[in-house]
């Protein structure tokens, strides 16, 4: 998921029953930020994990 504001570009990767670090690794591995280099905004990577049993977010991390 991508969210562009006037000051930043946020790249979200959502996982189910994994961890936030896995989501960040996928953002890096797939080089998602490269696709938006020309926008000139700072990129913020956000990894989020949802837990099926808890029906909630159980892990998240943010990297600038």
């Amino acid at each position: 998921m991508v969210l562009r504001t006037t000051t930043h570009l946020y790249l979200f990767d959502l996982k189910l029953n994994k961890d936030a670090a896995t989501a960040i690794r996928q953002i890096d591995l797939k080089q998602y930020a490269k696709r938006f280099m020309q926008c000139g905004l700072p990129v913020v990577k956000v990894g989020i994990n949802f837990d099926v049993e808890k029906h909630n977010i159980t892990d998240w991390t943010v990297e600038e």
Side-chain angles (χ1 to χ4, degrees), residues 15-62:
K15 295 296 180 198
L16 186 64
N17 292 330
K18 302 233 178 179
D19 58 43
T22 300
I24 294 293
R25 278 193 301 276
Q26 182 165 336
I27 291 171
D28 293 337
L29 181 67
K30 299 287 186 170
Q31 299 180 345
Y32 293 148
K34 251 186 173 178
R35 300 173 189 176
F36 301 99
M37 286 176 63
Q38 291 194 355
C39 76
L41 296 173
V43 174
V44 179
K45 298 181 284 185
V46 182
I48 301 173
N49 179 63
F50 292 95
D51 187 293
V52 172
E53 291 179 13
K54 295 181 181 180
H55 303 282
N56 211 341
I57 295 173
T58 56
D59 188 22
W60 59 276
T61 188
V62 178

